[in-house]
Structures are given as C-alpha cells and as structure tokens.
Amino acid sequence: MLDCTTWTGAGPGLMDAAIKGALQAKKPVGGFKIGKEAGEWTSSNFHPYLPPDTYFTCRFFSARKHGLVDAVVRNDPSERTAVVALPGGIGTVDEIFEILALIQLERIGSKFPVPFLLLNYDGYYTKLMEFLDVCEQWGTVARGEVDSLWTVCNSNFEALEFLAEFYGISECKRNYDIGKYVNQGTGSYI
C-alpha cells in the first residue's frame, strides 16, 4: 500500500513472514541481517532466499538499528514509510525505544513525520504498556508522552487503516487483500 521497500532484520519468525508477504505482493524487500542471532553465530552470512544485493549482514546490532532507522527517513512528502514493530524479543524492544527516542528528540533525520505502529497482536505488548503507565504514575515518563509517539494497533487491518488515513489514501485504493480472521476463537482480525 505504501509502495516502499519492506525492510526487516532478515531473521526468523515474523521478520521472515514480513519478507515473504512483501515478496508475494511483488514489492521490494531488504534486510539488515545480524551475524549472530539468538546467541548463536549463523552457519553462513547468507540469507536462504533473498538475493545478496537486497540485504546486509551486520556484525553489530547497532549497525542494523542504524540501517532500519535510515530506511524510514522521509525527505519528500511523496515518500510513504512507517516503522511497524511486530512482537519480538529484547532486540525488538531495544529497537522500539531507540526509534521512539529519536522521533521524540526529532533526531530521526526525517523532514516529514514517520508513523510508528506497535502491533499488539493478542495483547503481546499489553504488559509493556502497563509498565509505561506505571512510569507515568511515578513521574519518570510524562503523561501521554509515549502515546504521542506511537499508534498501538491490534490487527493488520487496523494498522493498514491508520496508514491509509495518515497518508490520505482514498477508500477506492484500500484493497488490502487480507483474510478477515486469524483466530476464530477470539475474533482477532488480521
């Protein structure tokens, strides 16, 4: 929908799902692969199916974060990018807060606003948000400070609708081609 390259950490799980989804949609993809994933060095610095000219293998996690931030910079109003944080581990949480701090301090390097979406699938980030509420109560985070920096979405549909509104994409161009339900038991939309 945004007609931009999908960049991920080029790792397993949801990072891989985002890459495969973009490839299926015939959209450009790229990755910042780290040489050490989840405590083990990868057997090679090669991604199993991405062409070598579409990703970088980084020795240091900080280099990957730098690349991901650079990928969302908007220097022209016609550029449509977004930071979309999927459920992840310590590295994902580190990236979330570093990028939020850069947005807050207006140091992300973008001339135009960059939306930041936190995808709270099945309440994955609920405890993190509760922790931030406690920080507000203690006065270590100003009331509404974090809420002003991100948009929390519980489904892909909700995220796509937010981005369509943010970028003024007309209703007739909002064909997301996604299924209605992921989990029939809870009714959570994808």
Side-chain angles (χ1 to χ4, degrees):
M1 179 178 74
L2 298 182
D3 202 28
C4 65
T5 301
T6 297
W7 288 95
T8 76
L14 289 173
M15 289 183 279
D16 194 48
I19 289 171
K20 286 181 179 176
L23 288 172
Q24 287 175 356
K26 300 196 182 337
K27 298 294 182 182
V29 297
F32 294 97
K33 187 176 183 318
I34 191 106
K36 190 174 186 179
E37 289 284 348
E40 293 185 20
W41 289 99
T42 56
S43 57
S44 75
N45 286 334
F46 301 105
H47 193 277
Y49 55 84
L50 280 178
D53 62 339
T54 63
Y55 69 92
F56 302 97
T57 299
C58 306
R59 182 172 177 203
F60 299 105
F61 191 69
S62 59
R64 179 169 97 171
K65 288 192 297 184
H66 197 97
L68 291 171
V69 168
D70 196 46
V72 299
V73 169
R74 298 178 59 219
N75 288 319
D76 186 278
S78 66
E79 295 173 326
R80 296 186 290 197
T81 66
V83 175
V84 179
L86 300 169
I90 294 170
T92 301
V93 173
D94 177 51
E95 289 166 339
I96 287 170
F97 284 106
E98 180 148 353
I99 293 171
L100 285 177
L102 291 171
I103 291 170
Q104 179 186 38
L105 298 171
E106 298 178 0
R107 296 289 186 257
I108 200 162
S110 187
K111 291 181 183 175
F112 298 93
V114 175
F116 189 110
L117 282 71
L118 183 75
L119 287 178
N120 190 32
Y121 295 140
D122 297 323
Y124 186 85
Y125 284 115
T126 300
K127 294 289 186 189
L128 176 65
M129 293 184 295
E130 289 172 359
F131 166 74
L132 293 169
D133 289 342
V134 171
C135 290
E136 283 185 2
Q137 293 167 9
W138 277 68
T140 56
V141 173
R143 192 155 303 282
E145 179 179 352
V146 178
D147 289 339
S148 71
L149 301 172
W150 67 17
T151 299
V152 178
C153 299
N154 295 310
S155 69
N156 291 348
F157 180 80
E158 194 178 331
L160 290 166
E161 279 293 294
F162 173 82
L163 291 171
E165 290 293 324
F166 186 89
Y167 284 112
I169 296 170
S170 66
E171 294 273 342
C172 65
K173 293 185 179 180
R174 296 184 192 185
N175 180 9
Y176 306 134
D177 193 27
I178 57 175
K180 278 288 184 193
Y181 293 97
V182 159
N183 186 336
Q184 295 290 342
T186 65
S188 58
Y189 287 95
I190 62 166

